[in-house]
Amino acid sequence: MIRVSGPRTLELVRAVWVGDVAPSEGLPRAVLSGEFDDGRGRQPLLLLWMPGPRSFTREDVAEFHLPGSPPLVRCALERLLAEGARLAGPGEFTRRAFESGRIDLTRAEGVLALVEARGAEERRAALALVTGGLAGRVGDLRAALEDLRVTCEANLDFEETETGHVPRCELESTARAVAEGLAEALAWEERRTPPTGEARVVLAGAPNAGKSALFNALVEGGAALVSELAPTTRDVAEGPWILGDVRVALVDCAGVGNDDARAGSVEALAHEGARGARAAADLLLWVVDATRSDAAALAREAARLPADVPRVLAWSKTDLAAAVQRPPAELLAVGRPAAWAAVCALAGGGLEELTTACAESLGFASAGLPRELSARHREGLRAAASALGEGLDGWRSGAPLDLFAAHLREACDALDAIDGRTTPEDVLERLFARFCIGK
């Protein structure tokens, strides 16, 4: 299928159409059966004609449904390009719908979220945006804030005894109702966001590689035992680690050893628990002492890690005099980490880089779209609520009414950023660049 949208759509359709009933100006929505003249021959064509403004983009839109043979589709596309059409950019159809006012930004985000949905919960959350669940709430709240602001500014021109004056109690009641509406919209958005179980990041590596020290550095209040004696860690320790705005479970367990401990011993049970934790991990944080030079032993260690679990290499103890500041190429080739970072757990060096590498490897930088969109919406709703609350509190404390009106304008601006009225161009560019070509 090839979709065309724009002011020259009818002209392009006429240039390639072969059939009894030719599309013409004023033709309503129609499904027409004919042929497509691709310049080399004719192809069977089912044409869907959707004239503006009653189309997704509010422009004339035509969909050419053709045989599925790639060479034939390529010929048809080349003919349209020769007639003056151009290839659409990522998300351009949805962006045109947004810019024409057909949909607001939250609905456009819903289209993207629906395309990228990875399960039933994410599809449900995306559909709630596409169908205007947030847009309707934001629109009503903005209208109420604007009415309240206009009333406040009009009140500046009237004395309390004059007819046009609105009583203080009425203004307060309206402001409270808007505040309750903002709280309800925020609660709806939090309910809409699909639940996500915490990802599990498991520390792996040889005994005394620095796993427990790294655990203590990354987990607030981490209290894993740290010692130069090996093996120190036998029990599995777990704590929350914040990657950006996402919380994951960081797990510390026994090191990767020779697994030759006596069956039933404490050490054997510790290794068994560690193997299970590593196998069930969403990401392995492979900790390697930067002073080690035993390439063969490191290769054997890498081979003991679960092959189907992605890993990030923490090149540890880089503060030591004998440390090499970057892992050798041979180790990276054998260990196949998705990324690596040089760290010093005790001094805190490299922890930010390690956090970024793990977030990207888990997909939070690119695949966390539902969280990303919801965070933007919640930020706007909270900013609006905060501006309204500050203005109302100040007015109750004796601040002039025009200052309250200024806070109301700030609250309106926060809501405008949600639905795209005042969203910066660079934010729009980043959003629509994530769409595929056909959307």
Side-chain angles (χ1 to χ4, degrees), residues 196-199 241-248 359 362 364 368 371:
T196 54
E198 288 184 355
W241 181 22
I242 306 301
L243 300 182
D245 62 347
V246 179
R247 193 173 96 156
V248 303
L362 282 167
F364 296 156
R371 286 185 294 269

Side-chain angles (χ1 to χ4, degrees), residues 154-297:
N155 247 25
L156 296 172
D157 298 326
F158 295 97
E159 298 294 335
E160 290 190 12
T161 56
E162 294 183 300
T163 304
H165 177 78
V166 178
R168 184 186 186 96
C169 60
E170 185 176 329
L171 291 177
E172 282 206 41
S173 175
T174 303
R176 283 196 302 271
V178 175
E180 290 170 2
L182 286 168
E184 192 279 330
L186 181 59
W188 180 89
E189 177 61 20
E190 289 172 344
R191 291 193 304 271
R192 183 195 67 80
T193 307
T196 54
E198 288 184 355
R200 294 179 68 79
V201 181
V202 177
L203 291 157
N208 275 10
K211 300 186 299 300
S212 295
L214 189 57
F215 178 87
N216 291 341
L218 297 174
V219 173
E220 185 175 353
L225 294 177
V226 178
S227 170
E228 295 181 359
L229 301 176
T232 302
T233 303
R234 290 180 172 175
D235 295 327
V236 174
E238 183 175 323
W241 181 22
I242 306 301
L243 300 182
D245 62 347
V246 179
R247 193 173 96 156
V248 303
L250 184 64
V251 179
D252 185 25
C253 52
V256 178
N258 293 325
D259 300 339
D260 56 358
R262 181 174 53 83
S265 67
V266 173
E267 189 174 350
L269 293 174
H271 281 299
E272 183 179 347
R275 284 194 299 274
R278 291 192 289 267
D282 295 294
L283 179 70
L284 291 177
L285 190 48
W286 183 28
V287 184
V288 177
D289 187 337
T291 65
R292 288 180 64 180
S293 58
D294 46 343

Side-chain angles (χ1 to χ4, degrees), residues 2-5 8-9 11-12 64 76-88:
I2 300 175
R3 180 184 296 122
V4 177
S5 177
R8 293 189 56 218
T9 299
E11 179 185 337
L12 291 168
F64 300 93
L77 184 59
E78 289 173 354
R79 175 67 194 279
L80 289 170
L81 295 175
E83 291 294 334
R86 66 168 178 82
L87 295 175

Side-chain angles (χ1 to χ4, degrees), residues 28 169 330 428:
C169 60
E330 297 82 2
L428 296 177

